[in-house]
Amino acid sequence: GAVVSQHPSWVICKSGTSVKIECRSLDFQATTMFWYRQFPKQSLMLMATSNEGSKATYEQGVEKDKFLINHASLTLSTLTVTSAHPEDSSFYICSARPAVMGRGNEKLFFGSGTQLSVL
Amino acid sequence: AQKITQTQPGMFVQEKEAVTLDCTYDTSDQSYGLFWYKQPSSGEMIFLIYQGSYDEQNATEGRYSLNFQKARKSANLVISASQLGDSAMYFCAMREGYSSASKIIFGSGTRLSIRP
């Protein structure tokens, strides 16, 4: 089945530093990838839609300068948390869907997530 | 307004019993998709089942079935013969529209605990 690889799985950083999270679709092309954030015991909140070759679309309330998204190729999207602060600590999870919609391709494939802890 | 509503924060079920997890949705689109995902404590998101808005039959995947009541806008997940390994968070989700860029939004989830 389709696989989405996300790295790193966890990261601890000091306040004020930037952290980059990578999301790769390993066996399919994805023109669109999605970034979600999840606080403990809560649901997945969509942060932004990453579009290959163009700017990301951010959900209301998400700071685009804080959470930089780059979708440089059909298989790679990155999320950079800039000048991270303790309140940015969370579980970040990416997802992707094959570019060609069709029967069997409706679902999102998820990465394994990144637990970010900012000290 | 909530697009996806899961009214059961937590449920306890005896092993081998069937369980129904509730989900209602709100959309004005004619074309949409409904999903159920399972999230164990490891955090990974496991796809369980999908129902398209135009699908006439209820979706089934092994022990999982989706009770799709279009007029009532409900998409309940039924797990038959529950197992200890079914203990996890379960999220109902919806995609509005039908393109690769259509985003998927999630309900608040139901924590299912299976008792031995």
Side-chain angles (χ1 to χ4, degrees):
Chain A
V3 176
V4 173
S5 175
Q6 184 173 344
H7 292 281
S9 298
W10 56 270
V11 58
I12 301 172
C13 69
K14 291 182 179 179
S15 186
T17 60
S18 294
V19 175
K20 180 186 282 188
I21 303 170
E22 289 191 351
C23 181
R24 293 180 185 273
S25 55
L26 297 184
D27 53 0
F28 64 92
Q29 293 184 332
T31 52
T32 305
M33 292 186 177
F34 303 91
W35 287 95
Y36 292 86
R37 181 175 183 176
Q38 186 179 31
F39 291 107
K41 300 186 188 301
Q42 294 189 23
S43 186
L44 280 71
M45 299 302 297
L46 180 64
M47 298 175 65
T49 302
S50 172
N51 305 299
E52 188 267 335
S54 64
K55 291 182 180 180
T57 305
Y58 289 83
E59 295 299 300
Q60 191 172 7
V62 177
E63 299 176 60
K64 60 179 72 172
D65 294 331
K66 174 72 159 176
F67 300 100
L68 298 180
I69 291 172
N70 187 295
H71 195 148
S73 76
L74 286 171
T75 59
L76 173 64
S77 175
T78 60
L79 168 68
T80 301
V81 183
T82 62
S83 186
H85 287 94
E87 59 265 30
D88 299 323
S89 297
S90 187
F91 187 65
Y92 294 87
I93 190 164
C94 71
S95 63
R97 185 192 290 122
V100 179
M101 289 288 284
R103 198 68 190 171
N105 284 349
E106 301 91 353
K107 61 181 179 282
L108 282 180
F109 296 94
F110 282 85
S112 53
T114 298
Q115 183 64 52
L116 171 64
S117 297
V118 184
L119 305 178
Chain B
Q2 290 284 340
K3 292 264 188 178
I4 298 285
T5 302
Q6 294 180 255
T7 57
Q8 305 153 310
M11 288 188 72
F12 287 89
V13 173
Q14 201 67 31
E15 189 180 8
K16 298 181 185 177
E17 289 184 351
V19 56
T20 298
L21 305 183
D22 295 340
C23 174
T24 57
Y25 61 92
D26 181 29
T27 182
S28 56
D29 274 340
Q30 295 300 308
S31 177
Y32 55 90
L34 298 157
F35 306 78
W36 279 91
Y37 281 86
K38 172 184 177 181
Q39 187 180 42
S41 56
S42 60
E44 62 184 309
M45 293 292 286
I46 302 170
F47 168 77
L48 296 179
I49 200 165
Y50 168 79
Q51 180 86 41
S53 58
Y54 294 117
D55 293 340
E56 294 183 352
Q57 304 270 3
N58 284 348
T60 60
E61 293 280 353
R63 293 187 299 114
Y64 305 107
S65 60
L66 197 151
N67 186 358
F68 183 41
Q69 304 278 327
K70 195 169 182 177
R72 297 176 58 188
K73 294 189 175 179
S74 74
N76 297 341
L77 176 71
V78 179
I79 306 175
S80 63
S82 57
Q83 303 171 355
L84 295 178
D86 293 334
S87 295
M89 280 292 288
Y90 288 80
F91 292 101
C92 179
M94 178 175 68
R95 182 203 69 237
E96 290 183 293
Y98 193 80
S99 80
S100 62
S102 298
K103 55 191 179 184
I104 293 181
I105 54 174
F106 287 80
S108 55
T110 296
R111 180 167 295 282
L112 178 63
S113 300
I114 308 299
R115 294 196 187 101

